[in-house]
């Protein structure tokens, strides 16, 4: 369960009428919350003044829950002619997307998430540094990658081996992305981790879990147009097309074992 606050945030414990945004985490909001654009917003409501504008919608299905602030205005004082179009998207995995389509006019919002009044992650506070068509994503550390050791101490001139372990069990075919963040007194760095899961056996065009001349025949038929092309099995060289080069590679693989 959750509630949608008209001032640009979503809560999971207790609502609040706090309109004067602060740094995140904040004790003005009790419990967990997602701050997409916490500011003194003024959408259409039952006590609407002449400056209120824009509506807030929501929609859900089995894949995601979307909360849409559609052209919502800021409270008029010192923020005339402002209209904000943004979304909060929640996924069953726990992933959170903040999507900013159009931000017209000034704002001094707070953006981030919090577990409670003392634990949170702040993206910005009191500035207007967001951009149109910007996405901000919060996602927990993926279970398919582990790092060992995940902390330690190195003196000047020392080095250490860090193992990055990948486990593809229970992962569907597709692209997976993560990063390893290094924090130290000597500097910080972020290293991307990219994983492509392909459960198909490359070269096994007939799907019998063996690679032999029968697969060559299927691949030739793909090229001639008499069989449906399956890039996951037939694109041996990974160039995005199936042609005689792939046939040659497959034949070499069969002949050379």
């Amino acid at each position: 369960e959750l509630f949608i606050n008209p001032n640009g945030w979503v809560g999971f414990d207790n609502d609040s009428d706090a309109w004067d945004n602060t740094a995140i985490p904040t004790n003005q909001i009790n419990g967990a919350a997602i701050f997409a654009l916490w500011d003194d917003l003024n959408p259409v409501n039952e006590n609407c003044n002449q400056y209120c504008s824009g509506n807030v919608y929501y929609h859900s299905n089995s894949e995601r829950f979307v909360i849409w602030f559609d052209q919502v205005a800021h409270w008029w004082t010192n923020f005339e002619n402002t209209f904000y179009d943004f979304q909060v998207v929640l996924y069953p995995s726990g992933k959170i997307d903040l999507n900013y389509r159009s931000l017209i006019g000034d704002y001094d919002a707070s953006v981030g998430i919090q577990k409670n009044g003392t634990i949170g992650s702040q993206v910005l506070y009191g500035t207007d540094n967001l951009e149109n068509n910007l996405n901000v994503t919060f996602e927990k550390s993926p279970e398919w990658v582990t790092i060992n050791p995940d902390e330690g101490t190195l003196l000047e001139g020392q080095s250490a081996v860090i193992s990055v372990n990948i486990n593809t069990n229970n992962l569907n075919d597709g692209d997976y992305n993560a990063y390893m963040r290094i924090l130290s007194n000597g500097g910080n760095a972020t290293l991307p981790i990219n994983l492509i899961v392909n459960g198909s056996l490359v070269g096994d065009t007939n799907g019998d879990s063996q690679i032999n001349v029968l697969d060559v025949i299927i691949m030739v038929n793909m090229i001639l147009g008499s069989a449906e092309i399956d890039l996951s099995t037939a694109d041996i060289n990974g160039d995005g097309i199936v042609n005689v080069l792939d046939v040659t590679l497959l034949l070499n693989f069969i002949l050379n074992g």
Side-chain angles (χ1 to χ4, degrees), residues 143-147 163-169 171 178 193-197:
E143 297 179 355
W144 53 265
V145 58
T146 56
I147 298 173
S163 298
V164 179
N165 302 304
I166 305 297
N167 184 353
T168 59
N169 291 336
L171 292 183
I193 302 174
N194 304 313
L195 171 67
I196 300 176
V197 177

Side-chain angles (χ1 to χ4, degrees), residues 58-136:
Y58 67 89
H59 178 268
S60 67
N61 57 29
S62 61
E63 297 179 354
R64 80 288 183 277
F65 182 84
V66 180
I67 302 161
W68 178 23
F69 286 73
D70 181 19
Q71 300 295 328
V72 171
H74 196 290
W75 188 261
W76 185 261
T77 306
N78 298 322
F79 291 88
E80 299 84 357
N81 300 316
T82 54
F83 304 97
Y84 314 132
D85 188 336
F86 61 94
Q87 293 181 338
V88 181
V89 186
L90 310 179
Y91 300 90
S93 66
K95 177 183 176 183
I96 303 167
D97 274 333
L98 307 181
N99 301 321
Y100 303 92
R101 181 160 67 177
S102 175
L103 302 172
I104 300 174
D106 296 331
Y107 53 90
D108 58 1
S110 300
V111 176
I113 60 175
Q114 73 173 36
K115 178 180 179 180
N116 51 45
T118 58
I119 300 174
S121 178
Q122 178 176 286
V123 176
L124 63 82
Y125 162 59
T127 65
D128 57 356
N129 291 333
L130 299 172
E131 299 177 356
N132 292 340
N133 300 312
L134 174 70
N135 164 260
V136 175

Side-chain angles (χ1 to χ4, degrees), residues 200-216 218 233:
S200 302
L201 180 62
V202 176
D204 181 23
T205 57
N206 66 354
D208 64 356
S209 299
Q210 299 180 27
I211 297 179
N212 51 36
V213 69
L214 297 178
D215 299 299
V216 177
I218 298 296
T233 60

